[in-house]
Amino acid sequence: MNQEMGAHALMARPLGEMSRKRLMRLMARLTGAQGGGRYERVCDMASASGQEAIASLLPESAGLAALGSRHDRALWVYLNEPALFRRAEQTLLMEMARYGQFWRGYAAPQGVDVEANALGRMGFESRVGRLFENGDAYLELYGRRAGEEGDWVTQAALYRSSGNGAERAPVLEAVILYDARSGMLEIIAMAPPRAEVIAALFAETLLNAKRALAPLWRQQGIRDGAWVAPAHRAFPVRGAMGWCDEEGWRPVDTPAARAANEARWRALAH
């Protein structure tokens, strides 16, 4: 497996309780389940991780650094570059939700220019739209930098329509990240049961995949951040320092927890 897949792991951080609540508020705003005014949105993007998300979408020569504070930079982008601000919010979501219950990762074909595949995008929108009540979907593709090396990757926002007639509005359904160099495909799905289907359709129509995607899960305790593909099943994955299942990462801190995890592993390993 390509060792470059470990590059994205460098940006991951364990979520504390405050960060978890912030993530859920961000998801609620992006999906329209909860309204969010200018203050809340700008405040999120004025954080250190929000500033990294904005910077990943801008040319390195962008002059935002000349503005006096994080809040000034976030507010300037909000007022002057609303599309970029929205994409930065989606980038923040991808970075905050990675490895959690809404995240899935896969080994996909390498070296595909997704943004140039207009026919593939139309095919994806047509097929994935059948998953939704209104039967339509829209995929927004854009590039950004990722990892410590600033490698260029393709990010996509999948929208579905909500409401009828004049009340119809786009609702974010998933954020997808594809690294052409490594072939790594990541998805944050607002409805996790749909993630595998959406990823498979993305790979088939936009990446010309000829075989089923191999799921990837990060083994905690591996210092170089390497990725592994389970031999027989996506779950559970037992790492050196904990347990990964449908509910996310659970660290092993005590002998009792370690024994419980070992018993659970044996029960599910058949």
Side-chain angles (χ1 to χ4, degrees), residues 4 21 48 58 62 66 74 85 99 111-112 118 130 155 158 161 168 175 178 181 198 210 237-238 244 246 250 252 254:
E4 290 177 3
K21 290 179 179 179
L58 291 169
F85 191 92
Y99 313 136
V112 181
R130 300 169 193 167
Q155 190 156 285
L158 172 62
S161 291
R168 290 169 73 90
V175 179
Y178 170 67
R181 294 208 316 164
I198 293 172
K210 305 302 181 184
V237 175
R238 181 181 56 177
C244 182
E246 290 285 2
R250 300 181 180 185
V252 173
T254 66

Side-chain angles (χ1 to χ4, degrees), residues 56-124:
S56 73
L57 292 153
L58 291 169
E60 294 186 5
S61 59
L64 284 182
L67 296 176
S69 68
R70 292 177 180 178
H71 187 273
D72 288 347
R73 290 191 287 271
L75 182 57
W76 188 93
V77 176
Y78 176 85
L79 294 173
N80 296 283
E81 298 286 350
L84 189 148
F85 191 92
R86 182 183 68 250
R87 293 173 177 181
E89 289 180 308
Q90 295 162 2
T91 298
L92 180 61
L93 173 64
M94 172 62 72
E95 298 303 330
M96 289 188 68
R98 182 174 281 125
Y99 313 136
Q101 61 181 328
F102 298 95
W103 176 91
R104 300 291 184 271
Y106 302 91
Q110 297 172 245
V112 181
D113 186 355
V114 176
E115 295 179 64
N117 191 353
L119 288 177
R121 190 179 79 174
M122 292 173 59
F124 173 79

Side-chain angles (χ1 to χ4, degrees), residues 190-211:
M190 305 307 165
R194 289 177 175 163
E196 185 174 354
V197 175
I198 293 172
L201 289 174
F202 187 93
E204 181 182 341
T205 56
L206 283 151
L207 304 179
N208 303 312
K210 305 302 181 184
R211 62 183 65 181

Side-chain angles (χ1 to χ4, degrees), residues 255-268:
R258 188 175 297 109
N261 281 346
E262 288 290 338
R264 188 178 182 194
W265 174 265
R266 287 193 296 270
L268 296 173

Side-chain angles (χ1 to χ4, degrees), residues 1-12 98-99 147-148 151 179 182 184 216 218 223-228:
M1 181 151 310
N2 195 321
Q3 293 300 313
E4 290 177 3
M5 289 187 179
H8 298 294
L10 297 171
M11 295 187 70
R98 182 174 281 125
Y99 313 136
E148 285 193 343
D151 297 328
D179 185 344
S182 68
M184 184 172 177
L216 300 172
R218 187 171 188 257
R223 293 188 178 182
D224 61 2
W227 288 75
V228 296

Side-chain angles (χ1 to χ4, degrees), residues 110-192:
Q110 297 172 245
V112 181
D113 186 355
V114 176
E115 295 179 64
N117 191 353
L119 288 177
R121 190 179 79 174
M122 292 173 59
F124 173 79
E125 291 173 340
S126 175
R127 294 179 63 182
V128 81
R130 300 169 193 167
L131 299 175
F132 310 133
E133 182 178 351
N134 286 331
D136 61 351
Y138 171 70
L139 188 71
E140 179 186 18
L141 293 166
Y142 51 92
R144 72 171 178 92
R145 292 187 300 278
E148 285 193 343
E149 301 300 322
D151 297 328
W152 195 252
V153 297
T154 297
Q155 190 156 285
L158 172 62
Y159 296 92
R160 60 177 173 83
S161 291
S162 175
N164 297 296
E167 300 297 322
R168 290 169 73 90
V171 175
L172 184 67
E173 181 68 26
V175 179
I176 303 167
L177 190 68
Y178 170 67
D179 185 344
R181 294 208 316 164
S182 68
M184 184 172 177
L185 180 67
E186 299 179 75
I187 178 170
I188 304 295
M190 305 307 165

